[in-house]
């Protein structure tokens, strides 16, 4: 999910001021603690997610995360496709050795500037909303706890993840020339007996 630091994460609610006073907001001057990183794995078919937090984005942490994901994934799964970006730790020598030791894994590198091809990217937005939005964190440990609780909540309410727009945002289709008329509706409008 990228570097996360202990700071205030803006929410959507407006700040209400007392009668006759100006609305004020506390100024957040940035990081108060060491930033960390959230690594994640996602199974779009089931909606299951796995996250782990680390204080650094190193090859050793990445290999540790891959080993934890290997333990999380169903052992009967024949293939594991890991869609990753082109970060240097994703193609380090240790990752190649991990790939050799785990033959069911296949690493798929997404093209540069094509993050939308990875289904975990929209899920990161959901995780940020569940874990961070509208909250203030004073330490990295608080962020770790929030991410763990948000992932646990997501997994309790998981659903298959479908790529694309949500159905409720699609514009309704209007009947065109080839659309069949609704005979029952026409008969009701004209107070006729349906044939």
């Amino acid at each position: 999910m990228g570097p996360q630091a202990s700071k205030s994460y803006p929410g959507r609610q407006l700040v209400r001021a007392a009668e006759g006073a100006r609305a004020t907001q506390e100024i957040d001057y940035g990081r108060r603690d060491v930033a960390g990183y959230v690594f994640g794995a996602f199974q779009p078919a089931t909606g299951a997610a796995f996250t782990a937090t680390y204080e650094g984005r190193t090859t050793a942490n990445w290999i540790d995360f891959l080993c934890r994901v290997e333990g999380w994934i169903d052992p009967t799964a024949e293939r594991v496709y890991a869609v990753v970006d082109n970060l240097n730790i994703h193609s380090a020598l240790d990752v190649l050795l991990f790939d050799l030791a785990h033959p069911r894994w296949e690493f798929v590198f997404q093209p540069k500037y094509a993050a939308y091809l990875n289904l975990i990217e929209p899920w990161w937005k959901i995780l940020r909303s569940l874990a961070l939005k509208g909250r203030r964190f004073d330490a990295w440990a608080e962020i770790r706890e929030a991410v763990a609780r948000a992932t646990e909540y997501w997994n309790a309410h998981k659903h298959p993840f479908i790529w694309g727009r949500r159905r409720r945002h699609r514009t309704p289709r209007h009947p065109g020339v080839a659309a069949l008329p609704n005979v029952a509706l026409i008969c009701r409008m004209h107070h006729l007996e349906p044939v």
Side-chain angles (χ1 to χ4, degrees):
M1 185 163 63
Q4 300 301 318
S6 49
K7 61 181 181 179
S8 297
Y9 288 84
R12 291 186 180 181
Q13 296 178 345
L14 296 174
V15 178
R16 302 279 183 209
E19 187 89 20
R22 293 179 73 189
T24 60
Q25 183 175 357
E26 182 181 343
I27 297 173
D28 193 344
Y29 289 104
R31 299 178 177 174
R32 290 182 283 282
D33 193 7
V34 177
Y37 294 86
V38 180
F39 291 15
F42 188 63
Q43 296 176 355
T46 63
F50 177 79
T51 56
T53 55
Y54 296 92
E55 289 192 9
R57 190 167 57 185
T58 64
T59 304
N61 290 343
W62 177 243
I63 294 298
D64 179 64
F65 175 72
L66 292 176
C67 291
R68 292 173 69 181
V69 170
E70 173 67 22
W72 173 68
I73 293 174
D74 183 14
T76 62
E78 294 180 14
R79 298 295 293 159
V80 175
Y81 295 99
V83 181
V84 294
D85 57 15
N86 293 298
L87 191 64
N88 60 353
I89 65 170
H90 294 160
S91 58
L93 179 61
D94 293 342
V95 178
L96 296 175
L97 294 173
F98 174 87
D99 194 20
L100 287 173
H102 300 87
R104 71 179 184 156
W105 281 69
E106 183 174 337
F107 289 89
V108 179
F109 292 91
Q110 68 190 27
K112 289 184 180 181
Y113 308 110
Y116 59 89
L117 294 176
N118 194 346
L119 277 178
I120 199 169
E121 294 299 333
W123 185 80
W124 283 129
K125 183 178 178 182
I126 294 169
L127 182 69
R128 278 189 193 98
S129 176
L130 289 173
L132 307 176
K133 189 172 263 186
R135 300 187 55 201
R136 179 183 171 90
F137 299 100
D138 289 322
W140 170 241
E142 294 176 11
I143 294 176
R144 292 176 68 176
E145 179 65 27
V147 167
R149 277 189 275 123
T151 305
E152 183 179 321
Y153 175 83
W154 171 266
N155 284 327
H157 301 89
K158 67 184 176 192
H159 54 81
F161 211 75
I162 299 170
W163 191 23
R165 292 186 294 178
R166 288 182 280 186
R167 201 171 280 281
R168 67 179 174 194
H169 293 292
R170 292 188 183 159
T171 56
R173 293 181 59 184
H174 299 289
V177 175
L180 296 174
N182 187 343
V183 176
L185 182 63
I186 294 171
C187 290
R188 267 189 276 147
M189 286 175 47
H190 296 289
H191 306 289
L192 301 173
E193 187 74 27
V195 179

